[in-house]
Amino acid sequence: MKDSAKLIVALDFAAEADALAMANQLDRSLCKVKVGKELFTAAGPSLVRRLVDTGFDVFLDLKFHDIPNTVAGACRAAAKLGVWMINVHAGGGRDMMLAAREAIEAGASRPLLIAVTVLTSLSDQALQEVGVAAGAAAQADRLARLTHASGLDGVVCSVHEVAGIKQACGAAFLTVTPGIRFAEDAKGDQVRVATPQFARAQGADYLVMGRPITQAPNPRQRLLEVERALQQEKDVRP
Ligand code: C5P
């Protein structure tokens, strides 16, 4: 049942107790959960194991980006936690991604391994400032092709890049999309955003939503609203 859940709720909390309180409100058949840098730094592997033991599919979103040997070791350690998905930054390059993949191949049941293309908080202008003249869409496309050629399972990208990436890398290559907002939601620091309906219409495999659910007055209710939106096929505005 939970394998069909397309929504990943980002548990971006500073304290373990807050994350667990939120997880307790979430229906495991409707969503997976994501543990990112803030929560992992505060609460560590024991919280990840606890979420896994409670039956959640856990995406450990630590976005490893280092030399190949270091990233391989980090991925090996992450895989031992029994998580469903882990990730690296595609910008770490082919050798780093190959080493990451090889490191988790040996385990009994390996997690899915995906790579971040371009953060959804980055605009074309912000990319130019760090020396990427091509713009977000072209850079995401380039890094997705490299990720695919390195044998990873998919990428994190913006909804707006999904169709092009699927065309270049094939339908089975996973796309995980943050920056999901209902029209009335605050964008926060996200720039390249889209609605849940638009994300599904574009063919995104998994949608990451944090604040619009975790900061809602009734997160359980919000989860159901997202689920309903994902069933609708008519409203496909970005
Ligand atoms: O609260 P919000 O819905 O913006 O949360 C988005 C989540 O997705 C955050 O945990 C963030 O770290 C993560 N993420 C992202 N952009 C990426 C990769 C991950 O926003 N490219």
Side-chain angles (χ1 to χ4, degrees), residues 48-82:
V48 175
R49 283 201 198 90
R50 207 162 154 184
L51 289 166
V52 170
D53 289 346
T54 2
F56 277 107
D57 278 342
V58 178
F59 172 16
L60 187 59
D61 176 24
L62 297 180
K63 301 186 182 72
F64 299 128
H65 191 173
D66 210 313
I67 59 172
N69 185 56
T70 303
V71 167
C75 287
R76 205 174 294 118
K80 286 188 186 148
L81 296 174

Side-chain angles (χ1 to χ4, degrees), residues 22-62:
M22 178 55 59
N24 280 336
Q25 295 187 59
L26 301 174
D27 181 341
R28 265 156 283 186
S29 69
L30 294 183
C31 69
K32 303 173 190 300
V33 291
K34 182 171 90 63
V35 175
K37 289 186 165 105
E38 181 183 15
L39 184 59
F40 189 79
T41 305
S46 65
L47 169 72
V48 175
R49 283 201 198 90
R50 207 162 154 184
L51 289 166
V52 170
D53 289 346
T54 2
F56 277 107
D57 278 342
V58 178
F59 172 16
L60 187 59
D61 176 24
L62 297 180

Side-chain angles (χ1 to χ4, degrees), residues 10-160:
L11 296 177
D12 290 328
F13 292 99
E16 174 165 358
D18 295 335
L20 288 174
M22 178 55 59
N24 280 336
Q25 295 187 59
L26 301 174
D27 181 341
R28 265 156 283 186
S29 69
L30 294 183
C31 69
K32 303 173 190 300
V33 291
K34 182 171 90 63
V35 175
K37 289 186 165 105
E38 181 183 15
L39 184 59
F40 189 79
T41 305
S46 65
L47 169 72
V48 175
R49 283 201 198 90
R50 207 162 154 184
L51 289 166
V52 170
D53 289 346
T54 2
F56 277 107
D57 278 342
V58 178
F59 172 16
L60 187 59
D61 176 24
L62 297 180
K63 301 186 182 72
F64 299 128
H65 191 173
D66 210 313
I67 59 172
N69 185 56
T70 303
V71 167
C75 287
R76 205 174 294 118
K80 286 188 186 148
L81 296 174
V83 294
W84 163 72
M85 177 181 272
I86 62 173
N87 63 354
V88 299
H89 262 290
R94 187 190 297 268
D95 286 351
M96 189 205 77
M97 288 195 276
L98 288 172
R101 205 196 83 169
E102 200 185 318
I104 60 167
E105 275 319 323
S109 67
R110 74 165 183 89
L112 292 168
L113 173 63
I114 63 171
V116 177
T117 53
V118 177
L119 295 170
T120 42
S121 56
L122 290 173
S123 63
D124 286 352
Q125 196 188 351
L127 281 171
Q128 274 190 10
E129 282 181 358
V130 295
V132 178
Q139 181 68 358
D141 186 73
R142 168 187 287 262
L143 290 175
R145 287 168 194 261
L146 182 63
T147 302
H148 185 242
S150 305
L152 272 58
D153 300 301
V155 285
V156 183
C157 62
S158 118
V159 169
H160 306 280

